[in-house]
Amino acid sequence: MSFVQLEQLTKSFERGQVPAVNQLNLQLEKGEIMTLLGPSGCGKTTTLRMIAGFEQPTSGTIKIGGQTVYSSDTSVPPEKRGIGMVFQDYALFPHLNIEKNVMFGLNKWKVRERKKRAREVLELVGLEDYATRFPNELSGGQQQRIALARALAPRPHVVLMDEPFSNLDAGLREKMRYDVTTILRKAETTGVIVTHDQKDAFAVSDRVVVMNEGVIQQVAAPKEMYKCPKNCFVAQFVGKTNLLSGTMCSDLKHVNTHIGKICLPERKDKMIEDVKVSIRPEGCMLADEGRYSGNVEHVTYSGEYQELAVRLKGAEMTNEPMIIYAPIEQDVEVGAVVSFDIKPELVALVD
Ligand SMILES: Nc1ncnc2c1ncn2[C@@H]1O[C@H](COP(=O)(O)OP(=O)(O)OP(=O)(O)O)[C@@H](O)[C@H]1O
Ligand SMILES: [Mg+2]
C-alpha cells in the first residue's frame, strides 16, 4: 500500500466557484520525493496545507502511513500527523539560536535526547558548527538548511516544503536542489515539494505532478514527462515545445502536418484522425540534407545552445516558426536557410 494516499481530495473556498483543488488522487511511496508543479494559483499550496492539516478539505480522504488523517468523520490535528513542514520564508525564530530553533519541535523529549537529536540533524545538514548562532547570522541557503533540519528533527514520516528554493539566487538554488535531495534521501524521508519552477521539479524529484486549475494533468518521472507529455498544457508548461496540428497516417506511425510528415516514436494502436504533436526543440537536429528546411528568423544565445526560430518552407504566415536548438559552436545567421531532421523519440502525440 502507498505511504501517502490522497483520494478525491477537494477544496472549495467559496461556494459556486471552481474548487481550488478538484478531486485530486495521488499516491506516494515511502521514501519517494514528489513535486507539485504548476502555475500560480493552481492549488499547490492548498494541497500541501491539506496534507499538513492546516487547511480543512471540503471532501476526500488523506491517509499517511496507513492511518486515515482526514475523512468526512476524521480529522487528526497537524501535530499528530507525523509531518514536518518547511515554509517558503523558512519561519525561523529570530530570538532563538540555531540549536534552540532545531529543538523547537522536540519539547516532549528528554533534554539530553533533544540536544543529541539537534546535533544529529545539524550534522545531517552540514551546519553542526553553527549551533550557537542566530538566524540573522546565516546566509539564505544556511537558513534554509536549518529550516529543513528543524522539520526533520522529530523524525517525521513526511516532509512538506513550500517553494523551498524561491528565495535563493540562481547559483545557490542549484546547490540547494542537490543538498535538499541528498538530505531527504539520507534521512529516508518521504517528501512533497511545491514549486512553480520546472527545473527545480525535475532536479529534485522521483516523480512530478503537474497541476492546472486544481486538477492533476500528469504524474510521471521527469524524463518520461519531458519525452511524453500527456497534453498541450504539460507539453508547454514543462520546457519548450513545438505544437503542430495534423492528421494521422493510415500506418499509425506518422502524422501529416503543414511542415511535412512527422514520424512518431512508436506505432499507435488506434486511429485518431485529427491529432496534435509536440516536438521538443532538442529533437530537431541540424543536418546538411535534412528532411525539413526553412529560414532562420531569429537567433537567441543562451550560453549552452542557440535557440533558432525557423520559418519552414511552405508553411503559411499564420503558423508559428519552429523552435530548434543548435550547438553553440555552429555559425547560424538570421536569414540563412537551415535544414534539419526530427528525432522521433522527442515527438509525442498530445491531447
Ligand atoms: N484562504 C483562502 N481563501 C480563498 N481563496 C483562497 C485561499 N487560499 C487560496 N485561495 C485560492 O485558491 C486557489 C489556489 O491557491 P494556492 O495558494 O493553492 O495556489 P498555488 O498553486 O500555491 O499558487 P502560487 O504558485 O501562487 O503560490 C487560488 O485561486 C487562491 O486565490
Ligand atoms: Mg503557493
Side-chain angles (χ1 to χ4, degrees):
M1 200 177 58
S2 303
F3 194 66
V4 177
Q5 277 179 285
L6 311 181
E7 287 162 13
Q8 297 292 102
L9 195 63
T10 300
K11 175 71 187 181
S12 302
F13 285 105
E14 281 160 64
R15 246 185 225 214
Q17 293 229 331
V18 184
V21 175
N22 204 346
Q23 306 197 357
L24 196 106
N25 292 300
L26 201 58
Q27 277 106 37
L28 267 97
E29 299 308 318
K30 197 167 167 48
E32 186 175 29
I33 302 176
M34 197 176 245
T35 34
L36 305 180
L37 173 67
S40 185
C42 75
K44 306 178 295 288
T45 297
T46 306
T47 304
L48 207 68
R49 288 172 55 82
M50 287 194 284
I51 301 173
F54 300 137
E55 199 77 71
Q56 188 90 343
T58 307
S59 58
T61 56
I62 304 174
K63 291 181 191 161
I64 299 174
Q67 188 202 0
T68 302
V69 297
Y70 185 83
S71 69
S72 55
D73 53 12
T74 324
S75 186
V76 175
E79 65 277 13
K80 297 213 166 119
R81 291 191 181 190
I83 292 281
M85 182 101 181
V86 178
F87 298 92
Q88 185 170 354
D89 58 1
Y90 316 140
L92 298 176
F93 304 111
H95 60 290
L96 298 181
N97 71 19
I98 296 312
E99 184 188 45
K100 289 195 172 122
N101 260 282
V102 172
M103 291 193 304
F104 186 77
L106 308 178
N107 51 4
K108 296 221 173 80
W109 295 35
K110 288 190 190 125
V111 177
R112 262 189 55 201
E113 292 296 310
R114 247 193 269 177
K115 288 217 166 234
K116 187 164 161 261
R117 181 61 182 154
R119 179 145 193 96
E120 266 171 24
V121 286
L122 286 177
E123 273 172 19
L124 181 69
V125 301
L127 291 173
E128 61 273 27
D129 297 337
Y130 291 70
T132 55
R133 290 222 199 164
F134 283 82
N136 67 353
E137 296 167 335
L138 299 182
S139 73
Q142 290 168 337
Q143 288 183 33
Q144 203 222 34
R145 278 187 279 160
I146 295 301
L148 184 53
R150 184 177 65 183
L152 289 169
R155 300 186 201 282
H157 302 307
V158 185
V159 168
L160 307 174
M161 306 180 83
D162 197 355
E163 302 278 1
F165 311 110
S166 63
N167 287 334
L168 308 172
D169 65 48
L172 192 54
R173 204 177 170 113
E174 254 175 55
K175 181 177 176 333
M176 287 313 296
R177 282 180 192 146
Y178 177 79
D179 287 359
V180 164
T181 28
T182 310
I183 293 163
L184 289 179
R185 300 242 186 259
K186 259 198 215 159
E188 295 177 5
T189 307
T190 310
V192 183
I193 300 177
V194 159
T195 179
H196 58 265
D197 183 297
Q198 178 233 322
K199 287 205 169 127
D200 285 348
F202 275 26
V204 303
S205 32
D206 297 308
R207 283 191 298 159
V208 177
V209 180
V210 172
M211 293 176 67
N212 189 31
E213 296 180 350
V215 178
I216 291 182
Q217 305 293 310
Q218 187 170 6
V219 183
K223 228 185 218 172
E224 188 195 335
M225 186 166 280
Y226 196 76
K227 279 173 72 176
C228 308
K230 210 172 141 247
N231 58 32
C232 295
F233 180 82
V234 177
Q236 286 174 307
F237 193 76
V238 171
K240 285 204 174 175
T241 201
N242 297 288
L243 282 177
L244 307 181
S245 304
T247 51
M248 184 101 85
C249 298
S250 55
D251 67 358
L252 303 181
K253 181 123 207 277
H254 294 84
V255 174
N256 272 321
T257 71
H258 72 271
I259 67 163
K261 227 180 210 187
I262 311 278
C263 184
L264 298 172
E266 61 205 19
R267 198 171 175 274
K268 294 288 145 186
D269 44 18
K270 69 172 192 283
M271 183 66 180
I272 311 162
E273 220 157 293
D274 297 323
V275 291
K276 273 211 160 66
V277 279
S278 152
I279 305 169
R280 293 293 184 192
E282 298 87 343
C284 304
M285 313 292 293
L286 291 186
D288 282 342
E289 286 181 28
R291 183 181 180 126
Y292 313 89
S293 64
N295 268 304
V296 177
E297 276 193 357
H298 198 78
V299 181
T300 314
Y301 294 93
S302 82
E304 292 153 334
Y305 51 81
Q306 312 179 68
E307 183 181 306
L308 315 181
V310 179
R311 175 78 55 186
L312 269 83
K313 284 186 181 152
E316 300 90 302
M317 288 308 286
T318 49
N319 284 310
E320 297 276 311
M322 289 277 289
I323 303 297
I324 74 180
Y325 294 159
I328 207 75
E329 66 279 6
Q330 195 145 359
D331 280 328
V332 191
E333 282 176 21
V334 172
V337 174
V338 291
S339 79
F340 61 95
D341 288 313
I342 297 176
K343 274 196 219 160
E345 304 87 75
L346 287 164
V347 175
L349 277 193
V350 291
D351 298 338

